Amino acid sequence: MEPAIIVHGGAWSIPDFLVEPNIKAIRRAVERGYEILNSGGSALDAVEEAVVIMEDDPSLDAGYGSFPNEEGLVEMDAIIVDGRTLKFGSVASVKRVRNPIRLARLVMERTENHMFVSEGAEKLAESFGLDLVDPQSLISEFALRVVRDSGTVGAVAIDSRGNMAAATSTGGIIRKKSGRVGDSPLIGCGAFADNLIGAASATGKGEPIMRVMLSRLAVDFLARAPPEEAAKMALEVMLKRTGGRGGIILINSRGDVGFAHTTKRMAVAYAKDGEVKALVSELPPAEH
Ligand code: GLY
């Protein structure tokens, strides 16, 4: 089948100074993911590599560029999900891993467990040969200029064999309390993928997302609605039940992609049928 990929660089009040850098970053990420898919690569490889590009970009809240917590340190969370097996790997509160999504993939494929946190996750990273870095080296000039909100990056893809995958990575909310973990590393909250229905990656403030398990909810809606509509339905449930706002990207088993957000802006890029599009979507003031 025709492969497809959609990525996001966060749904929040993206300040003007981040709009162009964000668009550049998500375009590079989606192009890399699409290249992998078009050369016969797996959806898992495509979402991992797309997220690595966004983690390495200083303008996005994940990996290098993560928003610092109240102590001025980064604490990062990430998850990757395999829609074929429903297996996932996730890490939370890691401070010294430059690409948490790589560690999440290793957790999924090289351990019998699904989730590791903090120092234990970092020990595991070392045992897998990942370099640990100075936490201060992960703070970018862009991140220091942000005053509120949370970013997050994510990707979902379907490959030519019809396998789907989802990945999400974040530095979380700016100046969050030390030890606070949001939705991103939690299965069904920050991401979900099931080959039988579709895949999702969520962004926004983690607490409301966790309460409605936004990614799982949106994939459930995908069983009866096209991606954009399913995304809107899930966000509407979250807004009505919790007052929380966010964004979500979706792909279904036919390879249709879609997204929606209830925040002011959302950075999104997608590639399908040979075409690539990257944008910062903006809602009119009455709608956010
Ligand atoms: N969605 C990212 C977070 O709340 O940590």
Side-chain angles (χ1 to χ4, degrees), residues 61 75 77 150-153 168-173 176 180-185 190 202-210:
D61 176 26
E75 280 182 295
D77 311 322
S150 71
T152 303
V153 306
T168 303
S169 183
T170 192
I173 300 175
K176 65 187 178 186
R180 175 266 184 194
V181 175
D183 61 299
S184 300
T203 166
K205 193 172 169 216
E207 284 70 12
I209 295 176
M210 289 187 258

Side-chain angles (χ1 to χ4, degrees), residues 55 61-64 66-69 73-79 89-104 107 115-126 128 130-136 138-139 168-172 176 178-182 184-185:
E55 286 179 337
D61 176 26
Y64 172 50
S66 286
F67 296 164
N69 68 9
L73 289 172
V74 300
E75 280 182 295
M76 302 164 291
D77 311 322
I79 184 169
S90 81
V91 294
S93 268
V94 292
K95 299 188 182 71
R96 297 186 297 150
V97 179
R98 187 177 171 107
N99 293 112
I101 199 67
R102 291 238 190 272
L103 181 55
V107 166
M115 187 168 188
F116 284 84
V117 304
S118 198
E119 285 90 0
E122 290 175 0
K123 263 192 213 153
L124 199 69
E126 261 186 314
F128 288 139
L130 296 184
D131 287 335
L132 295 185
V133 299
D134 175 354
Q136 291 298 335
L138 295 173
I139 296 173
T168 303
S169 183
T170 192
K176 65 187 178 186
S178 176
R180 175 266 184 194
V181 175
S184 300

Side-chain angles (χ1 to χ4, degrees), residues 223-246:
R224 56 184 158 102
E228 189 182 321
E229 206 180 311
K232 282 185 180 153
M233 286 158 81
L235 289 170
E236 198 180 303
V237 170
M238 184 166 84
L239 187 58
K240 280 204 176 125
R241 298 299 309 278
T242 71
R245 291 176 182 272

Side-chain angles (χ1 to χ4, degrees), residues 4 20 24 32-33 70 75 92-93 103 112 141-142 151 179 187 205:
E20 280 314 311
K24 260 194 203 152
R32 178 73 189 116
E70 62 180 4
E75 280 182 295
S93 268
L103 181 55
E112 291 175 351
E141 285 301 316
F142 281 121
I187 187 70
K205 193 172 169 216

Side-chain angles (χ1 to χ4, degrees), residues 18-37:
L18 285 179
V19 169
E20 280 314 311
N22 278 193
I23 291 175
K24 260 194 203 152
I26 58 174
R27 178 181 289 281
R28 279 198 302 121
V30 86
E31 282 174 351
R32 178 73 189 116
Y34 200 41
E35 186 181 69
I36 291 169
L37 294 169

